[in-house]
C-alpha cells in the first residue's frame, strides 16, 4: 500500500488541467500558427458574447463560460493495440474515459477511433479536455508484404518514456499521485505527444507507406504518434472561417458538420491546412524530405441530440448527399445543406418539446422562492408546466463528442485533400474494444443520464422546500 495518504493525491481534474495547459504550450512552440489561432478565437468569442447578452447570461448560469477559454481537444493516431491500451491507462489518471466508437474506414481513412474525455458533469465544467484517439487498421493495407513491414516497424518502438510507465503503474497501485509525481507525470506523458522531425525509416519505406495511404506513413514512420492538432472552441465558427485568411492561415474550403443555425447542434469544425514540415529519413545524411500532418482546427459545439434527434440529423444528411449525387444541376453543398436542414427545428423550445435534444433542468430564482405548499404542488407538475410558469429553466447540454463524417473530412483535407481511398464498411467495435482493453461509453447514454440527473435534482429541490417546517 502507498505511504502517501489518499487526501494528498492531486485530483484527476487538476492533473488533466495541468496536462492540457502543458500540451497547449508545447504545441504553440511547435506550430506558431496555433498561437495565432488561439488569439483569433479569443477575439471572436469576446465579440460574440458582447453582441449576444442572452448567450452570455446562459453560459454564466450553466458554468460554461469559465471553461470556454481553456477548452481544447487534440487528436493522436497510434499503430498497435499495446499503444492504445497504454494510452487508456495514461488518460485514466487524468479522469478521461473512452467515449464513443468511430469507424472512419467507411470514409476512406484506415483507422477506427474513440475519444478520451471526462464524463461527469463537474469534471466537464472543471476542464473538458478531450483527445480523439485513432488506431491504425493494418488489415486495410492491401499489400501483404507492406502490411507485414509496417507491423514490424511498429513493434520495434516504444512511445512512452520509462518514467511515464512507472508513474502510471504507481498511480494504479496506490490510487493516485502526489503533487511532485503529478507534475512529473505531466512532463513525461507530454513526450508521447511531441513532434519528431527524424523518421525511423528510410525514404523508400516512407514513400511506399505514403503511397498506400498518407495517414499510414504518418502513424508508422515516426518515433511517436505526435499530437496532430489542438482545437479551441469558438462561439461563431463562420466568423472564424472568414477571418483565418486575414491572419495568414490557409483555411479548408468548407465548415464540416451541420449548417449555421440559431440554435447550434452537435459539432461544426474547420481548420487551416496542414503544414509541410522538413523530415530527415533514417540513413540519409545528404538531404531531407517533407511530411504533411499537423494543422490547426477550430470547433463550435452545440446542443447534444437525443437518439431521435440523431436519427433526424442522419436522415437529412443523407438527403444532402443524395442531392449531390444527382448530378451537376444540384446546388453547391452549402446551399443544399442549409435548404435540407430547414426541416430541423431551430428553437430550443421546439428541440426540447419534440425530444430532439438534451437539456439540463434547474430551479429558477422564482422556483427557489416558492412557499412549502406551492413547492409541493410544483413537484408534481410536469417539466413543461414548470418551465411555462418560470419555476424551472432548461439549459442545453453541450455536445462533448465528435461526428465520424466530420472527422474523416478534416483528416482527408489535411492528408492532401485529393486522396479518397475507398474501403468496405468494416465496423469492428468489438475488435477495437479488445485492443483498447475496455468497453467504450455510449455517448448518448451519458447525455440521457446527465439530463435525468438534473430532473431528479430539480424534483428533489422542490420536495425539499415542500417539507420545510417553519421555525
Amino acid at each position: 500500500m502507498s505511504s502517501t495518504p489518499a487526501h494528498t493525491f492531486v485530483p484527476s481534474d487538476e492533473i488533466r488541467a495541468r496536462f492540457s495547459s502543458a500540451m497547449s504550450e508545447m504545441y504553440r512552440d511547435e506550430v506558431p500558427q496555433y498561437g495565432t489561432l488561439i488569439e483569433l478565437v479569443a477575439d471572436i468569442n469576446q465579440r460574440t458574447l458582447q453582441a449576444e447578452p442572452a448567450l452570455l447570461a446562459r453560459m454564466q448560469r450553466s458554468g460554461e463560460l469559465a471553461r470556454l477559454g481553456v477548452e481544447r481537444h487534440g487528436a493522436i493516431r497510434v499503430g498497435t493495440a499495446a499503444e492504445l491500451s497504454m494510452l487508456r491507462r495514461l488518460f485514466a489518471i487524468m479522469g478521461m474515459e473512452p467515449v464513443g466508437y468511430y469507424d472512419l474506414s467507411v470514409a476512406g481513412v484506415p483507422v477506427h477511433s474513440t475519444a478520451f474525455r471526462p464524463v461527469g458533469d463537474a469534471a466537464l465544467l472543471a476542464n473538458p479536455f478531450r483527445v480523439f484517439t485513432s488506431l491504425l487498421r493494418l488489415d486495410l493495407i492491401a499489400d501483404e508484404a507492406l502490411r507485414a513491414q509496417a507491423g514490424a516497424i511498429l513493434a520495434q518502438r516504444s512511445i512512452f518514456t520509462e518514467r511515464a510507465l512507472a508513474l502510471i503503474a504507481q498511480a494504479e497501485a496506490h490510487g493516485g499521485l502526489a503533487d511532485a509525481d503529478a507534475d512529473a507525470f505531466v512532463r513525461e506523458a507530454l513526450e508521447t505527444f511531441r513532434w519528431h522531425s527524424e523518421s525511423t525509416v528510410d525514404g523508400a519505406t516512407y514513400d511506399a507507406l505514403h503511397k498506400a495511404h498518407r495517414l499510414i506513413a504518418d502513424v508508422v514512420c515516426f518515433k511517436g504518434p505526435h499530437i496532430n492538432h489542438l482545437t479551441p472552441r469558438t462561439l461563431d465558427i463562420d466568423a472564424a472561417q472568414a477571418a483565418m485568411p486575414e491572419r495568414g492561415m490557409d483555411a479548408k474550403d468548407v465548415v464540416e458538420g451541420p449548417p449555421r443555425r440559431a440554435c447550434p447542434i452537435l459539432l461544426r469544425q474547420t481548420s487551416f491546412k496542414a503544414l509541410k514540415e522538413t523530415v530527415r529519413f533514417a540513413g540519409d545524411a545528404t538531404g531531407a524530405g517533407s511530411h504533411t500532418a499537423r494543422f490547426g482546427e477550430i470547433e463550435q459545439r452545440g446542443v447534444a441530440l437525443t437518439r431521435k434527434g440523431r436519427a433526424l440529423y442522419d436522415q437529412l444528411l443523407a438527403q444532402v448527399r443524395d442531392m449531390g449525387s444527382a448530378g451537376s444541376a444540384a446546388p453547391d453543398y452549402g446551399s443544399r445543406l442549409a435548404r435540407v436542414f430547414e426541416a430541423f427545428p431551430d428553437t430550443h423550445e421546439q428541440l426540447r418539446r419534440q425530444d430532439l435534444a438534451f437539456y439540463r433542468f434547474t430551479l429558477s430564482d422564482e422556483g427557489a422562492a416558492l412557499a412549502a405548499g406551492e413547492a409541493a404542488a410544483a413537484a408534481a407538475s410536469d417539466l413543461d408546466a414548470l418551465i411555462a410558469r418560470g419555476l424551472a429553466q432548461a439549459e442545453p447540454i453541450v455536445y462533448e463528442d465528435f461526428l465520424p463524417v466530420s472527422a474523416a473530412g478534416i483528416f482527408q483535407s489535411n492528408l492532401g485533400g485529393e486522396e479518397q481511398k475507398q474501403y468496405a464498411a468494416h465496423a469492428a467495435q468489438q475488435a477495437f474494444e479488445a485492443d483498447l482493453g475496455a468497453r467504450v461509453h455510449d455517448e448518448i447514454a451519458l447525455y440521457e443520464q446527465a439530463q435525468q440527473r438534473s430532473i431528479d435534482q430539480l424534483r428533489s429541490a422542490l420536495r425539499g422546500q415542500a417539507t420545510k417546517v417553519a421555525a
Side-chain angles (χ1 to χ4, degrees), residues 62-320:
S62 65
E64 272 189 78
L65 191 62
R67 80 181 220 181
L68 181 63
V70 298
E71 186 161 351
R72 301 284 187 276
H73 96 249
I76 194 169
R77 306 157 183 161
V78 296
T80 69
E83 291 175 352
L84 179 67
S85 179
M86 186 56 70
L87 273 179
R88 172 183 57 80
R89 295 168 60 189
L90 181 149
F91 286 130
I93 295 171
M94 297 185 255
M96 299 163 70
E97 302 178 28
V99 179
Y101 171 75
Y102 306 88
D103 180 13
L104 272 62
S105 70
V106 297
V109 182
V111 300
H112 48 180
S113 316
T114 191
F116 289 96
R117 67 166 176 89
V119 297
D121 297 340
L124 284 164
L125 285 178
N127 188 297
F129 183 56
R130 320 165 186 85
V131 179
F132 190 82
T133 303
S134 301
L135 176 64
L136 179 63
R137 296 283 304 274
L138 284 175
D139 58 298
L140 296 181
I141 300 178
D143 186 317
E144 290 186 15
L146 193 62
R147 186 192 318 152
Q149 185 180 20
I153 294 166
L154 290 168
Q156 293 172 3
R157 75 178 186 182
S158 175
I159 67 172
F160 306 96
T161 70
E162 291 298 324
R163 179 71 171 135
L165 295 174
L167 286 166
I168 291 169
Q170 177 183 323
E172 291 173 340
H174 299 160
L177 295 172
D179 190 64
D181 284 337
D183 280 342
F185 168 79
V186 168
R187 288 194 304 272
E188 297 294 327
L190 206 61
E191 293 305 310
T192 296
F193 299 81
R194 191 178 297 281
W195 167 251
H196 298 279
S197 58
E198 299 83 19
S199 175
T200 58
V201 303
D202 58 36
T205 302
Y206 175 90
D207 287 343
L209 290 167
H210 192 270
K211 286 175 183 175
H213 197 290
R214 291 169 182 252
L215 185 141
I216 296 172
D218 182 60
V219 175
V220 174
C221 298
F222 295 89
K223 178 181 177 182
H226 51 255
I227 194 82
N228 57 68
H229 64 270
L230 206 54
T231 305
R233 177 182 169 192
T234 184
L235 299 175
D236 189 342
I237 200 165
D238 298 289
Q241 175 84 347
M244 274 198 284
E246 299 168 8
R247 304 273 185 125
M249 289 176 270
D250 184 12
K252 73 185 303 290
D253 295 332
V254 297
V255 174
E256 302 281 352
R260 184 179 182 90
R261 296 164 41 87
C263 296
I265 58 173
L266 297 174
L267 177 68
R268 302 181 72 205
Q269 296 175 297
T270 189
S271 71
F272 65 73
K273 294 180 181 177
L275 310 174
K276 183 173 285 190
E277 299 180 274
T278 300
V279 172
R280 189 167 297 281
F281 295 110
D284 184 356
T286 60
S290 64
H291 180 68
T292 304
R294 300 189 303 160
F295 54 96
E297 186 180 70
I298 302 173
E299 65 186 16
Q300 180 175 0
R301 292 187 173 272
V303 63
L305 299 185
T306 62
R307 297 187 194 280
K308 179 181 176 183
R310 281 301 294 266
L312 177 58
Y313 175 84
D314 291 343
Q315 173 191 330
L316 295 178
L317 204 58
Q319 289 181 28
V320 175

